[in-house]
Amino acid sequence: MTSATRSAPQTSVVSNRQIFAAIGASCLGWALDLFDLFVLLFVAPVVGRLFFPSTHPMLSLAAVYASFAVTLLMRPIGSALFGSYADRHGRKGAMIIAVIGVGVATALFGALPTTAQIGLAAPALLIVLRLVQGIFVGGVVASTHTIATESVPAAWRGTVSGMIGGGGAGVGALIASLVYLIMTRLFPGPAFDVWGWRCMFFTGIISSVLGLFIFSSLDESPLWKQLKKEAAGSAPAQKTNSPLATLFSRDWRGVLFVNLLLTIGGGSGYYLTSGYLPTYLKVVTHTAASSAALILVLSSVGVIVASIFTGYLSDLLGRKKTFILVGVLRLVLFPVLYLAMVHTSDVVILGVYVIALCAIGSAGYAPILIFLNERFPTAIRASGTGLSWNIGFAIGGMMPTFVSLTAKTPAQLPLVLSGFLIGLSLLFLWGALAIPETKGQLDSH
């Protein structure tokens, strides 16, 4: 693997202020961008009626979720573009551009005319904005998922990995929930269908302003600065390949493929637990809305705790052993918990099952960030991490659709979900067994 530049171990001293700033910026960047994505899910019924009108409300809603999937499919392109930029010009600049881009794209949704106003051009414009937003979201992953782990001491990197992935997602969902609560109070009843949903999207500009204010004062990644310093001080060399060309070269294609086994398995576990359980509670267990809301709030807290703990565990045991342990737990507990939920009418026990499912689902992807960072040298780390993560999670994000199409009735969902999760857990375990141990390798290349 000689086509990627390798640097000597890190020798520069990083201040505590820089360390905590990098951690906070990465967590906040991921939270703000997930907030921008979650906003659509909160106003999906309204957007469906206004942009995808149909005599069948489920078709309108399905169209909105399809537009959400478009964002996931565009994320690998964003990772390719912004990852290459981050590897060539620095993580900080890529992070600022990506976060501002997502916020502006989100705010523009609030200014869109509806189908009643301009006809079919309205949903077309909505889809175009979703495509643009997806590119910027992919860029956020490529930059925020590298700058923090490259800035913190080796002993913290697994914990920080879980904090960014799970913690950032939980905070993003919480912010979206609070904004939704405020807007429904400011625009009650029919007023929400007129201005409330638009103001939900307009709040996206706040993330752009916060991102510009916070990230502008952030220090660049010390490992990236060291790489550029060494390159500037060395004798002129022959022209090197771009990060993307290097990543898809014969030396690195196999690494990318094995990474996808973990990211597809991890992403699917997240989308088929945290992403699917709101639907499951409604159509399978018929849980009351108030009880379901409380259960899902508690499950979000469980995701944050489980993600940070699993990341910490990877610092103690190593990445490979942690993945294998989580893979075995997923293989056994996913089907057991989903099937058990059908046979309980106790809302407390049901809540325990849901929290456990979400916690195990998040545990599968919590250490993936640091593992991907350690798999690639600094010269191609943002590109490699961003593409490995976003391709895997884009495929994982399609799994709820496949599950819904496979199950003929809601009564079949527990068995279908169990079957899918067994297969995907085996894929995850395959990846866990195939990968090398990477703990401690971030500074060695």
Side-chain angles (χ1 to χ4, degrees), residues 2 36 89 167 171 249 276 281 284 384 391:
T2 58
D36 289 326
H89 305 291
V171 172
S249 67
Y276 207 85
L281 290 174
V284 178
I391 293 175

Side-chain angles (χ1 to χ4, degrees), residues 262-322:
L262 284 176
T263 56
I264 292 172
S268 299
Y270 170 76
Y271 285 112
L272 291 180
T273 53
S274 295
Y276 207 85
L277 278 165
T279 299
Y280 191 96
L281 290 174
K282 182 177 182 179
V283 304
V284 178
T285 62
H286 304 290
T287 306
S290 58
S291 299
L294 178 58
I295 290 172
L296 292 172
V297 168
L298 293 175
S299 70
S300 296
V301 177
V303 165
I304 297 173
V305 173
S307 298
I308 296 175
F309 174 76
T310 310
Y312 172 71
L313 193 64
S314 77
D315 283 331
L316 295 179
L317 303 180
R319 319 306 180 206
K320 185 181 180 76
K321 289 181 180 178
T322 301

